[in-house]
C-alpha cells in the first residue's frame, strides 16, 4: 500500500468500535483518519459521542473532528436504551478512560461528512461500524457526493443474527438506512457475523496482548475483558468476538479474509426477519429468476484467525 487511504469512521462506541479506532490510528502511515461521526446504538448518542471523544483523548488524537450523528433510526420507532448487557451503562464499561479533552464540532454528522467529502481532492473510504443512518441521510440528501466515496467497509449483517435470530444489531437498528447504502452502487466490503464470529481472541491471547505492556495494549486487553464476558457467558463462544475490527482489518490486510461477491439487500418488513441482510450467495436472482442484479457487495465469510489476532496485537503494540 503506497498511498495513505483517507477514511471517515462512523461508529457507536462500543468496545469493538473503540478497538477499531485504535487499530486505524495505529497506522498513520497507511490511514488518514479525516473525521469520526457517531450514531446511537450501543448506547445513546450522548454516550457514544462521549466515548469517541474519550478514546481520542486517550490516544492523543483530539485533532480529529468528531460530529454528533443520528440519535434514532430513519424510520423505525425505537426506544434508545443501548445494549448494557454487552457494552455496559456507559457504552464503554471496564477500563478507566479520561474525560474528553475536546467537544464535538459544531456541525452535524451529515454536515461533517459532506464537508470532508466536498473538500477532499481524493475519494474517501467510509468505515461503517454502526447503523447506517448518518451515511444514508447523506446519500439521500446529497447523491452528488456518492461519487466522492471510494468504498464502504462495514461491520454488519450476515446469514445469521445476533440481535434477533435473523438480524445482526447494526442492520436491525436501521434497516431502511442500510438498504440505501446497498443501493448506492458503491464498492462495499461487508464483515458480517459469518466472518466476525470467527474473528475472536481467546483469553490466553488476551493475556499475551496485555503482557505487551504498552498503554494501547493494556487498554485493548481491558476493553476485551469487559466485552468478552458477553461472548463467553451469554453467547457461549470460544473467545471475545472482534466484530468491528474486522472492517478495518479488511481494509488494511484484505489477504486475511475470503469473500464472495454477492447481491445483498435488507429485509424491511418481515415479521420474523426485519433487519436481516438477504445475501444471494448462490446467485439465485440472476441464475434462476433471470433478473439483472448487481453483485453489490464483497461479503466476507472466512478469516485466517491466527493471522488476524497477530495483526491486531501488532497494531495495539504500535500505539505506544
Ligand atoms: C455490532 O453491534 C454492535 O454492538 C457492535 O459494536 C458491532 O458494531 C455487532 O453486531
Ligand atoms: Ca459498532
Amino acid at each position: 500500500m503506497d498511498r495513505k487511504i483517507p477514511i471517515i469512521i462512523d461508529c457507536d462506541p462500543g468496545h469493538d468500535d473503540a478497538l477499531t479506532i485504535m487499530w486505524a490510528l495505529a497506522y498513520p502511515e497507511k490511514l488518514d483518519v479525516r473525521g469520526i461521526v457517531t450514531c446511537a446504538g450501543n448506547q445513546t448518542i450522548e454516550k457514544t459521542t462521549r466515548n469517541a471523544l474519550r478514546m481520542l483523548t486517550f490516544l492523543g488524537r483530539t485533532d480529529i473532528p468528531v460530529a454528533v450523528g443520528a440519535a434514532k433510526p430513519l424510520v423505525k420507532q425505537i426506544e434508545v436504551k443501548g445494549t448494557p448487557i454487552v457494552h455496559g451503562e456507559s457504552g464503554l464499561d471496564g477500563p478507566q478512560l479520561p474525560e474528553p479533552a475536546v467537544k464535538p464540532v459544531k456541525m452535524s454528522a451529515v454536515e461533517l461528512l459532506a464537508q470532508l467529502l466536498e473538500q477532499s481532492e481524493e475519494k474517501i473510504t467510509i468505515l461503517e461500524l454502526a447503523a447506517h443512518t448518518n451515511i444514508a441521510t447523506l446519500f439521500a440528501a446529497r447523491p452528488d457526493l456518492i461519487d466522492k466515496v471510494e468504498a464502504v467497509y462495514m461491520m454488519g449483517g450476515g446469514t445469521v443474527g445476533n440481535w434477533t435470530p435473523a438480524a445482526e444489531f447494526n442492520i436491525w437498528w436501521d434497516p431502511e438506512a442500510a438498504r440505501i447504502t446497498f443501493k448506492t452502487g458503491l464498492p462495499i466490503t461487508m464483515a458480517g457475523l459469518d466472518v466476525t464470529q470467527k474473528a475472536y481472541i481467546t483469553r490466553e491471547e488476551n493475556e499475551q496482548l496485555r503482557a505487551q505492556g504498552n498503554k494501547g495494549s493494556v487498554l485493548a486487553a481491558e476493553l476485551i475483558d469487559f466485552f468478552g464476558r458477553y461472548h463467553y457467558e451469554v453467547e457461549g463462544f470460544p473467545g471475545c468476538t472482534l466484530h468491528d475490527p474486522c472492517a478495518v482489518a479488511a481494509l488494511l490486510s484484505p489477504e486475511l479474509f475470503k469473500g464472495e461477491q454477492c447481491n445483498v439487500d435488507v429485509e424491511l418488513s418481515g415479521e420474523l426477519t426485519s433487519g436481516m441482510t438477504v445475501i444471494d450467495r448462490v446467485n439465485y436472482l440472476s441464475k434462476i429468476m433471470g433478473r439483472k442484479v448487481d453483485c453489490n457487495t464483497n461479503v466476507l465469510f472466512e478469516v485466517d484467525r491466527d493471522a488476524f489476532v497477530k495483526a491486531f496485537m501488532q497494531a495495539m503494540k504500535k500505539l505506544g
Side-chain angles (χ1 to χ4, degrees):
M1 207 182 287
D2 308 326
R3 66 176 187 100
K4 277 198 209 180
I5 303 174
I7 66 167
I8 301 171
I9 303 177
D10 187 5
C11 57
D12 62 340
H15 296 71
D16 51 339
D17 303 75
L19 294 167
T20 310
I21 292 169
M22 292 170 82
W23 197 333
L25 294 180
Y27 286 98
E29 68 281 19
K30 295 183 182 176
L31 298 181
D32 175 11
V33 181
R34 301 262 175 103
I36 295 184
V37 293
T38 58
C39 187
N42 286 327
Q43 260 303 347
T44 60
I45 191 64
E46 292 77 17
K47 290 183 182 178
T48 58
T49 305
R50 172 171 173 259
N51 291 340
L53 292 166
R54 288 161 88 205
M55 286 307 299
L56 292 184
T57 302
F58 175 90
L59 295 163
R61 290 301 309 271
T62 52
D63 55 302
I64 298 172
V66 174
V68 181
K72 287 187 193 145
L74 289 181
V75 177
K76 190 163 159 173
Q77 298 298 315
I78 209 167
E79 194 194 340
V80 181
K81 45 184 186 199
T83 56
I85 186 173
V86 190
H87 297 277
E89 285 301 333
S90 71
L92 213 46
D93 277 13
Q96 290 282 332
L97 281 165
E99 282 307 309
V102 287
K103 290 191 167 28
V105 292
K106 288 193 172 124
M107 59 179 104
S108 70
V110 176
E111 287 165 348
L112 180 64
L113 282 162
Q115 187 187 77
L116 292 169
L117 291 167
E118 269 165 354
Q119 288 177 354
S120 177
E121 283 175 14
E122 303 155 90
K123 293 187 180 197
I124 301 182
T125 292
I126 293 175
L127 201 56
E128 181 52 77
L129 313 176
H132 292 215
T133 323
N134 294 322
I135 60 172
T137 305
L138 174 85
F139 295 148
R142 293 289 310 271
D144 56 306
L145 290 178
I146 294 175
D147 266 357
K148 298 290 300 274
V149 177
E150 177 78 39
V152 177
Y153 282 73
M154 56 171 277
M155 189 284 136
T159 60
V160 291
N162 66 351
W163 205 246
T164 73
E168 180 280 330
F169 180 76
N170 290 338
I171 308 298
W172 171 87
W173 182 268
D174 196 341
E176 283 79 5
R179 178 178 258 190
I180 291 174
T181 305
F182 285 114
K183 303 266 183 221
T184 53
L186 287 168
I188 300 173
T189 296
M190 172 176 144
L193 295 174
D194 299 274
V195 73
T196 67
Q197 290 180 343
K198 294 173 187 156
Y200 58 84
I201 180 167
T202 64
R203 284 200 174 102
E204 197 181 31
E205 288 161 343
N206 200 37
E207 291 316 313
Q208 290 164 14
L209 171 64
R210 201 185 324 269
Q212 292 190 144
N214 61 304
K215 269 173 58 189
S217 297
V218 172
L219 175 65
E222 288 175 359
L223 287 165
I224 289 167
D225 288 338
F226 188 91
F227 190 44
R229 289 169 329 136
Y230 181 76
H231 302 120
Y232 287 111
E233 293 166 20
V234 181
E235 296 190 303
F237 288 162
C240 174
T241 310
L242 299 179
H243 294 293
D244 291 340
C246 287
V248 74
L251 175 61
L252 284 167
S253 306
E255 69 285 355
L256 297 178
F257 297 90
K258 278 202 192 110
E260 294 172 30
Q261 204 64 36
C262 304
N263 179 266
V264 179
D265 204 340
V266 181
E267 178 57 68
L268 303 183
S269 59
E271 185 194 350
L272 303 175
T273 54
S274 168
M276 175 185 179
T277 46
V278 179
I279 303 169
D280 188 7
R281 199 170 177 184
V282 293
N283 283 321
Y284 180 85
L285 292 171
S286 55
K287 277 194 197 152
I288 315 285
M289 303 283 287
R291 278 171 50 185
K292 261 199 151 190
V293 288
D294 185 15
C295 289
N296 54 359
T297 304
N298 175 25
V299 184
L300 305 180
F301 287 105
E302 297 298 332
V303 59
D304 178 343
R305 195 193 74 83
D306 290 347
F308 171 84
V309 171
K310 206 167 152 203
F312 172 66
M313 288 177 57
Q314 269 168 5
M316 296 305 108
K317 176 98 197 193
K318 234 174 142 272
L319 282 169

